[in-house]
PDB file of all heavy atoms in Angstrom:
ATOM      1  N   ALA A   1      91.564  84.394 125.912  1.00 97.00           N
ATOM      2  CA  ALA A   1      91.961  82.991 125.710  1.00 97.00           C
ATOM      3  C   ALA A   1      90.798  82.161 125.176  1.00 97.00           C
ATOM      4  O   ALA A   1      90.985  81.339 124.267  1.00 97.00           O
ATOM      5  CB  ALA A   1      92.492  82.402 127.013  1.00 97.00           C
ATOM      6  N   GLN A   2      89.604  82.362 125.714  1.00 98.00           N
ATOM      7  CA  GLN A   2      88.434  81.627 125.228  1.00 98.00           C
ATOM      8  C   GLN A   2      88.106  82.038 123.799  1.00 98.00           C
ATOM      9  O   GLN A   2      87.796  81.199 122.957  1.00 98.00           O
ATOM     10  CB  GLN A   2      87.227  81.883 126.128  1.00 98.00           C
ATOM     11  CG  GLN A   2      87.357  81.275 127.498  1.00 98.00           C
ATOM     12  CD  GLN A   2      86.199  81.623 128.411  1.00 98.00           C
ATOM     13  OE1 GLN A   2      85.256  82.307 128.014  1.00 98.00           O
ATOM     14  NE2 GLN A   2      86.277  81.166 129.650  1.00 98.00           N
ATOM     15  N   ARG A   3      88.201  83.330 123.529  1.00 97.00           N
ATOM     16  CA  ARG A   3      87.922  83.830 122.181  1.00 97.00           C
ATOM     17  C   ARG A   3      88.904  83.242 121.172  1.00 97.00           C
ATOM     18  O   ARG A   3      88.521  82.832 120.078  1.00 97.00           O
ATOM     19  CB  ARG A   3      87.988  85.359 122.182  1.00 97.00           C
ATOM     20  CG  ARG A   3      87.542  85.988 120.908  1.00 97.00           C
ATOM     21  CD  ARG A   3      87.407  87.510 121.015  1.00 97.00           C
ATOM     22  NE  ARG A   3      88.613  88.167 121.508  1.00 97.00           N
ATOM     23  CZ  ARG A   3      88.712  88.789 122.690  1.00 97.00           C
ATOM     24  NH1 ARG A   3      87.674  88.837 123.513  1.00 97.00           N
ATOM     25  NH2 ARG A   3      89.835  89.362 123.048  1.00 97.00           N
ATOM     26  N   GLU A   4      90.189  83.170 121.552  1.00 98.00           N
ATOM     27  CA  GLU A   4      91.194  82.610 120.641  1.00 98.00           C
ATOM     28  C   GLU A   4      90.921  81.141 120.346  1.00 98.00           C
ATOM     29  O   GLU A   4      90.958  80.718 119.184  1.00 98.00           O
ATOM     30  CB  GLU A   4      92.597  82.767 121.231  1.00 98.00           C
ATOM     31  CG  GLU A   4      93.672  82.189 120.342  1.00 98.00           C
ATOM     32  CD  GLU A   4      95.064  82.288 120.931  1.00 98.00           C
ATOM     33  OE1 GLU A   4      95.196  82.396 122.163  1.00 98.00           O
ATOM     34  OE2 GLU A   4      96.013  82.234 120.151  1.00 98.00           O
ATOM     35  N   VAL A   5      90.629  80.368 121.373  1.00 98.00           N
ATOM     36  CA  VAL A   5      90.367  78.932 121.190  1.00 98.00           C
ATOM     37  C   VAL A   5      89.151  78.719 120.299  1.00 98.00           C
ATOM     38  O   VAL A   5      89.191  77.929 119.350  1.00 98.00           O
ATOM     39  CB  VAL A   5      90.202  78.229 122.558  1.00 98.00           C
ATOM     40  CG1 VAL A   5      89.613  76.834 122.396  1.00 98.00           C
ATOM     41  CG2 VAL A   5      91.543  78.161 123.283  1.00 98.00           C
ATOM     42  N   LEU A   6      88.071  79.432 120.575  1.00 98.00           N
ATOM     43  CA  LEU A   6      86.858  79.256 119.768  1.00 98.00           C
ATOM     44  C   LEU A   6      87.055  79.759 118.340  1.00 98.00           C
ATOM     45  O   LEU A   6      86.535  79.166 117.398  1.00 98.00           O
ATOM     46  CB  LEU A   6      85.674  79.950 120.435  1.00 98.00           C
ATOM     47  CG  LEU A   6      85.204  79.326 121.747  1.00 98.00           C
ATOM     48  CD1 LEU A   6      84.056  80.129 122.338  1.00 98.00           C
ATOM     49  CD2 LEU A   6      84.823  77.879 121.569  1.00 98.00           C
ATOM     50  N   SER A   7      87.810  80.817 118.170  1.00 98.00           N
ATOM     51  CA  SER A   7      88.084  81.331 116.824  1.00 98.00           C
ATOM     52  C   SER A   7      88.911  80.339 116.013  1.00 98.00           C
ATOM     53  O   SER A   7      88.631  80.110 114.833  1.00 98.00           O
ATOM     54  CB  SER A   7      88.811  82.668 116.903  1.00 98.00           C
ATOM     55  OG  SER A   7      87.973  83.656 117.445  1.00 98.00           O
ATOM     56  N   LEU A   8      89.918  79.757 116.631  1.00 98.00           N
ATOM     57  CA  LEU A   8      90.735  78.766 115.922  1.00 98.00           C
ATOM     58  C   LEU A   8      89.898  77.537 115.553  1.00 98.00           C
ATOM     59  O   LEU A   8      90.074  76.966 114.477  1.00 98.00           O
ATOM     60  CB  LEU A   8      91.941  78.353 116.767  1.00 98.00           C
ATOM     61  CG  LEU A   8      93.049  79.390 116.876  1.00 98.00           C
ATOM     62  CD1 LEU A   8      94.072  78.968 117.924  1.00 98.00           C
ATOM     63  CD2 LEU A   8      93.719  79.612 115.535  1.00 98.00           C
ATOM     64  N   ALA A   9      89.001  77.149 116.448  1.00 98.00           N
ATOM     65  CA  ALA A   9      88.148  75.995 116.159  1.00 98.00           C
ATOM     66  C   ALA A   9      87.212  76.294 114.995  1.00 98.00           C
ATOM     67  O   ALA A   9      87.041  75.460 114.098  1.00 98.00           O
ATOM     68  CB  ALA A   9      87.353  75.612 117.399  1.00 98.00           C
ATOM     69  N   ARG A  10      86.644  77.478 114.994  1.00 97.00           N
ATOM     70  CA  ARG A  10      85.640  77.814 113.976  1.00 97.00           C
ATOM     71  C   ARG A  10      86.271  78.229 112.645  1.00 97.00           C
ATOM     72  O   ARG A  10      85.928  77.713 111.597  1.00 97.00           O
ATOM     73  CB  ARG A  10      84.738  78.937 114.514  1.00 97.00           C
ATOM     74  CG  ARG A  10      83.754  79.477 113.516  1.00 97.00           C
ATOM     75  CD  ARG A  10      82.736  78.404 113.126  1.00 97.00           C
ATOM     76  NE  ARG A  10      81.771  78.949 112.204  1.00 97.00           N
ATOM     77  CZ  ARG A  10      81.726  78.630 110.914  1.00 97.00           C
ATOM     78  NH1 ARG A  10      82.568  77.767 110.418  1.00 97.00           N
ATOM     79  NH2 ARG A  10      80.813  79.150 110.129  1.00 97.00           N
ATOM     80  N   TYR A  11      87.168  79.196 112.697  1.00 97.00           N
ATOM     81  CA  TYR A  11      87.656  79.805 111.460  1.00 97.00           C
ATOM     82  C   TYR A  11      88.874  79.105 110.860  1.00 97.00           C
ATOM     83  O   TYR A  11      89.056  79.124 109.654  1.00 97.00           O
ATOM     84  CB  TYR A  11      87.950  81.286 111.684  1.00 97.00           C
ATOM     85  CG  TYR A  11      86.715  82.030 112.120  1.00 97.00           C
ATOM     86  CD1 TYR A  11      86.621  82.593 113.377  1.00 97.00           C
ATOM     87  CD2 TYR A  11      85.606  82.123 111.278  1.00 97.00           C
ATOM     88  CE1 TYR A  11      85.472  83.257 113.790  1.00 97.00           C
ATOM     89  CE2 TYR A  11      84.451  82.781 111.673  1.00 97.00           C
ATOM     90  CZ  TYR A  11      84.394  83.340 112.925  1.00 97.00           C
ATOM     91  OH  TYR A  11      83.259  83.997 113.331  1.00 97.00           O
ATOM     92  N   ALA A  12      89.696  78.464 111.708  1.00 98.00           N
ATOM     93  CA  ALA A  12      90.831  77.706 111.192  1.00 98.00           C
ATOM     94  C   ALA A  12      90.495  76.226 111.079  1.00 98.00           C
ATOM     95  O   ALA A  12      91.319  75.433 110.643  1.00 98.00           O
ATOM     96  CB  ALA A  12      92.061  77.908 112.077  1.00 98.00           C
ATOM     97  N   ASP A  13      89.269  75.855 111.510  1.00 98.00           N
ATOM     98  CA  ASP A  13      88.786  74.479 111.437  1.00 98.00           C
ATOM     99  C   ASP A  13      89.740  73.505 112.138  1.00 98.00           C
ATOM    100  O   ASP A  13      90.030  72.429 111.620  1.00 98.00           O
ATOM    101  CB  ASP A  13      88.555  74.077 109.982  1.00 98.00           C
ATOM    102  CG  ASP A  13      87.662  72.852 109.854  1.00 98.00           C
ATOM    103  OD1 ASP A  13      86.802  72.649 110.740  1.00 98.00           O
ATOM    104  OD2 ASP A  13      87.830  72.096 108.879  1.00 98.00           O
ATOM    105  N   LEU A  14      90.208  73.909 113.325  1.00 98.00           N
ATOM    106  CA  LEU A  14      91.124  73.069 114.086  1.00 98.00           C
ATOM    107  C   LEU A  14      90.388  72.378 115.219  1.00 98.00           C
ATOM    108  O   LEU A  14      89.459  72.936 115.797  1.00 98.00           O
ATOM    109  CB  LEU A  14      92.259  73.910 114.685  1.00 98.00           C
ATOM    110  CG  LEU A  14      93.200  74.600 113.712  1.00 98.00           C
ATOM    111  CD1 LEU A  14      94.195  75.463 114.473  1.00 98.00           C
ATOM    112  CD2 LEU A  14      93.925  73.585 112.854  1.00 98.00           C
ATOM    113  N   THR A  15      90.818  71.165 115.534  1.00 98.00           N
ATOM    114  CA  THR A  15      90.313  70.470 116.707  1.00 98.00           C
ATOM    115  C   THR A  15      91.183  70.872 117.893  1.00 98.00           C
ATOM    116  O   THR A  15      92.186  71.581 117.748  1.00 98.00           O
ATOM    117  CB  THR A  15      90.339  68.947 116.504  1.00 98.00           C
ATOM    118  OG1 THR A  15      91.688  68.538 116.261  1.00 98.00           O
ATOM    119  CG2 THR A  15      89.431  68.521 115.348  1.00 98.00           C
ATOM    120  N   GLN A  16      90.821  70.408 119.060  1.00 98.00           N
ATOM    121  CA  GLN A  16      91.514  70.856 120.264  1.00 98.00           C
ATOM    122  C   GLN A  16      93.002  70.484 120.326  1.00 98.00           C
ATOM    123  O   GLN A  16      93.811  71.327 120.728  1.00 98.00           O
ATOM    124  CB  GLN A  16      90.759  70.373 121.498  1.00 98.00           C
ATOM    125  CG  GLN A  16      89.425  71.088 121.620  1.00 98.00           C
ATOM    126  CD  GLN A  16      88.532  70.533 122.693  1.00 98.00           C
ATOM    127  OE1 GLN A  16      88.776  69.466 123.247  1.00 98.00           O
ATOM    128  NE2 GLN A  16      87.458  71.253 122.987  1.00 98.00           N
ATOM    129  N   PRO A  17      93.429  69.268 119.936  1.00 98.00           N
ATOM    130  CA  PRO A  17      94.874  68.994 119.988  1.00 98.00           C
ATOM    131  C   PRO A  17      95.713  69.934 119.108  1.00 98.00           C
ATOM    132  O   PRO A  17      96.738  70.459 119.581  1.00 98.00           O
ATOM    133  CB  PRO A  17      94.980  67.533 119.543  1.00 98.00           C
ATOM    134  CG  PRO A  17      93.665  66.939 119.962  1.00 98.00           C
ATOM    135  CD  PRO A  17      92.659  68.034 119.692  1.00 98.00           C
ATOM    136  N   PRO A  18      95.322  70.224 117.863  1.00 98.00           N
ATOM    137  CA  PRO A  18      96.104  71.196 117.093  1.00 98.00           C
ATOM    138  C   PRO A  18      96.052  72.612 117.674  1.00 98.00           C
ATOM    139  O   PRO A  18      97.022  73.361 117.569  1.00 98.00           O
ATOM    140  CB  PRO A  18      95.472  71.167 115.705  1.00 98.00           C
ATOM    141  CG  PRO A  18      94.801  69.840 115.608  1.00 98.00           C
ATOM    142  CD  PRO A  18      94.341  69.533 117.006  1.00 98.00           C
ATOM    143  N   ILE A  19      94.935  72.975 118.289  1.00 98.00           N
ATOM    144  CA  ILE A  19      94.864  74.287 118.942  1.00 98.00           C
ATOM    145  C   ILE A  19      95.871  74.341 120.086  1.00 98.00           C
ATOM    146  O   ILE A  19      96.579  75.337 120.252  1.00 98.00           O
ATOM    147  CB  ILE A  19      93.433  74.584 119.439  1.00 98.00           C
ATOM    148  CG1 ILE A  19      92.490  74.774 118.254  1.00 98.00           C
ATOM    149  CG2 ILE A  19      93.420  75.820 120.334  1.00 98.00           C
ATOM    150  CD1 ILE A  19      91.023  74.854 118.630  1.00 98.00           C
ATOM    151  N   ALA A  20      95.946  73.275 120.859  1.00 98.00           N
ATOM    152  CA  ALA A  20      96.915  73.215 121.964  1.00 98.00           C
ATOM    153  C   ALA A  20      98.343  73.344 121.428  1.00 98.00           C
ATOM    154  O   ALA A  20      99.160  74.082 121.981  1.00 98.00           O
ATOM    155  CB  ALA A  20      96.750  71.918 122.746  1.00 98.00           C
ATOM    156  N   ALA A  21      98.634  72.657 120.345  1.00 98.00           N
ATOM    157  CA  ALA A  21      99.979  72.726 119.762  1.00 98.00           C
ATOM    158  C   ALA A  21     100.278  74.126 119.235  1.00 98.00           C
ATOM    159  O   ALA A  21     101.376  74.644 119.424  1.00 98.00           O
ATOM    160  CB  ALA A  21     100.115  71.701 118.643  1.00 98.00           C
ATOM    161  N   ARG A  22      99.306  74.751 118.594  1.00 97.00           N
ATOM    162  CA  ARG A  22      99.520  76.078 118.005  1.00 97.00           C
ATOM    163  C   ARG A  22      99.672  77.151 119.079  1.00 97.00           C
ATOM    164  O   ARG A  22     100.489  78.056 118.943  1.00 97.00           O
ATOM    165  CB  ARG A  22      98.365  76.435 117.083  1.00 97.00           C
ATOM    166  CG  ARG A  22      98.554  77.803 116.425  1.00 97.00           C
ATOM    167  CD  ARG A  22      97.439  78.148 115.495  1.00 97.00           C
ATOM    168  NE  ARG A  22      97.575  77.426 114.241  1.00 97.00           N
ATOM    169  CZ  ARG A  22      96.921  77.734 113.139  1.00 97.00           C
ATOM    170  NH1 ARG A  22      96.075  78.748 113.129  1.00 97.00           N
ATOM    171  NH2 ARG A  22      97.092  77.034 112.043  1.00 97.00           N
ATOM    172  N   THR A  23      98.883  77.053 120.145  1.00 97.00           N
ATOM    173  CA  THR A  23      98.902  78.097 121.175  1.00 97.00           C
ATOM    174  C   THR A  23      99.919  77.835 122.278  1.00 97.00           C
ATOM    175  O   THR A  23     100.254  78.750 123.022  1.00 97.00           O
ATOM    176  CB  THR A  23      97.519  78.234 121.835  1.00 97.00           C
ATOM    177  OG1 THR A  23      97.179  77.001 122.461  1.00 97.00           O
ATOM    178  CG2 THR A  23      96.460  78.638 120.822  1.00 97.00           C
ATOM    179  N   GLY A  24     100.366  76.590 122.403  1.00 98.00           N
ATOM    180  CA  GLY A  24     101.280  76.242 123.484  1.00 98.00           C
ATOM    181  C   GLY A  24     100.577  75.990 124.810  1.00 98.00           C
ATOM    182  O   GLY A  24     101.225  75.825 125.833  1.00 98.00           O
ATOM    183  N   LEU A  25      99.244  75.972 124.774  1.00 98.00           N
ATOM    184  CA  LEU A  25      98.471  75.692 125.982  1.00 98.00           C
ATOM    185  C   LEU A  25      98.330  74.187 126.167  1.00 98.00           C
ATOM    186  O   LEU A  25      98.259  73.443 125.179  1.00 98.00           O
ATOM    187  CB  LEU A  25      97.069  76.301 125.864  1.00 98.00           C
ATOM    188  CG  LEU A  25      96.972  77.818 125.789  1.00 98.00           C
ATOM    189  CD1 LEU A  25      95.547  78.236 125.434  1.00 98.00           C
ATOM    190  CD2 LEU A  25      97.391  78.431 127.104  1.00 98.00           C
ATOM    191  N   PRO A  26      98.251  73.729 127.423  1.00 98.00           N
ATOM    192  CA  PRO A  26      97.970  72.308 127.641  1.00 98.00           C
ATOM    193  C   PRO A  26      96.594  71.950 127.067  1.00 98.00           C
ATOM    194  O   PRO A  26      95.681  72.783 127.051  1.00 98.00           O
ATOM    195  CB  PRO A  26      97.962  72.169 129.162  1.00 98.00           C
ATOM    196  CG  PRO A  26      98.692  73.361 129.674  1.00 98.00           C
ATOM    197  CD  PRO A  26      98.460  74.451 128.672  1.00 98.00           C
ATOM    198  N   LEU A  27      96.452  70.712 126.623  1.00 98.00           N
ATOM    199  CA  LEU A  27      95.200  70.268 126.018  1.00 98.00           C
ATOM    200  C   LEU A  27      94.027  70.470 126.971  1.00 98.00           C
ATOM    201  O   LEU A  27      92.957  70.927 126.565  1.00 98.00           O
ATOM    202  CB  LEU A  27      95.295  68.803 125.592  1.00 98.00           C
ATOM    203  CG  LEU A  27      94.040  68.205 124.962  1.00 98.00           C
ATOM    204  CD1 LEU A  27      93.594  69.005 123.742  1.00 98.00           C
ATOM    205  CD2 LEU A  27      94.290  66.747 124.599  1.00 98.00           C
ATOM    206  N   GLY A  28      94.195  70.164 128.237  1.00 98.00           N
ATOM    207  CA  GLY A  28      93.119  70.338 129.206  1.00 98.00           C
ATOM    208  C   GLY A  28      92.673  71.785 129.327  1.00 98.00           C
ATOM    209  O   GLY A  28      91.489  72.071 129.525  1.00 98.00           O
ATOM    210  N   THR A  29      93.610  72.703 129.208  1.00 98.00           N
ATOM    211  CA  THR A  29      93.283  74.125 129.261  1.00 98.00           C
ATOM    212  C   THR A  29      92.493  74.532 128.024  1.00 98.00           C
ATOM    213  O   THR A  29      91.518  75.289 128.121  1.00 98.00           O
ATOM    214  CB  THR A  29      94.564  74.963 129.393  1.00 98.00           C
ATOM    215  OG1 THR A  29      95.256  74.553 130.591  1.00 98.00           O
ATOM    216  CG2 THR A  29      94.269  76.446 129.454  1.00 98.00           C
ATOM    217  N   VAL A  30      92.895  74.025 126.872  1.00 98.00           N
ATOM    218  CA  VAL A  30      92.153  74.304 125.634  1.00 98.00           C
ATOM    219  C   VAL A  30      90.731  73.762 125.762  1.00 98.00           C
ATOM    220  O   VAL A  30      89.764  74.445 125.414  1.00 98.00           O
ATOM    221  CB  VAL A  30      92.869  73.698 124.407  1.00 98.00           C
ATOM    222  CG1 VAL A  30      91.990  73.760 123.164  1.00 98.00           C
ATOM    223  CG2 VAL A  30      94.198  74.401 124.169  1.00 98.00           C
ATOM    224  N   GLU A  31      90.584  72.550 126.270  1.00 98.00           N
ATOM    225  CA  GLU A  31      89.260  71.963 126.458  1.00 98.00           C
ATOM    226  C   GLU A  31      88.417  72.814 127.399  1.00 98.00           C
ATOM    227  O   GLU A  31      87.235  73.069 127.136  1.00 98.00           O
ATOM    228  CB  GLU A  31      89.393  70.544 127.009  1.00 98.00           C
ATOM    229  CG  GLU A  31      89.999  69.567 126.015  1.00 98.00           C
ATOM    230  CD  GLU A  31      90.366  68.232 126.642  1.00 98.00           C
ATOM    231  OE1 GLU A  31      90.399  68.136 127.895  1.00 98.00           O
ATOM    232  OE2 GLU A  31      90.628  67.287 125.881  1.00 98.00           O
ATOM    233  N   SER A  32      89.016  73.280 128.475  1.00 98.00           N
ATOM    234  CA  SER A  32      88.309  74.108 129.443  1.00 98.00           C
ATOM    235  C   SER A  32      87.895  75.449 128.833  1.00 98.00           C
ATOM    236  O   SER A  32      86.756  75.908 129.024  1.00 98.00           O
ATOM    237  CB  SER A  32      89.196  74.346 130.669  1.00 98.00           C
ATOM    238  OG  SER A  32      88.541  75.160 131.604  1.00 98.00           O
TER     239      SER A  32
END
């Protein structure tokens, strides 16, 4: 889960709210 979030941030150039939307995780979980 951490690897996916960091990969999306780095390689897909996404911020945390779009990562939350793409993964279906709550924003707080993505931040964590």
Side-chain angles (χ1 to χ4, degrees):
Q2 291 176 2
R3 188 171 54 247
E4 179 182 23
V5 167
L6 292 178
S7 293
L8 287 170
R10 174 65 178 109
Y11 300 114
D13 198 30
L14 296 176
T15 60
Q16 292 172 348
I19 292 171
R22 181 179 283 195
T23 61
L25 295 170
L27 179 57
T29 301
V30 170
E31 292 169 346
S32 179

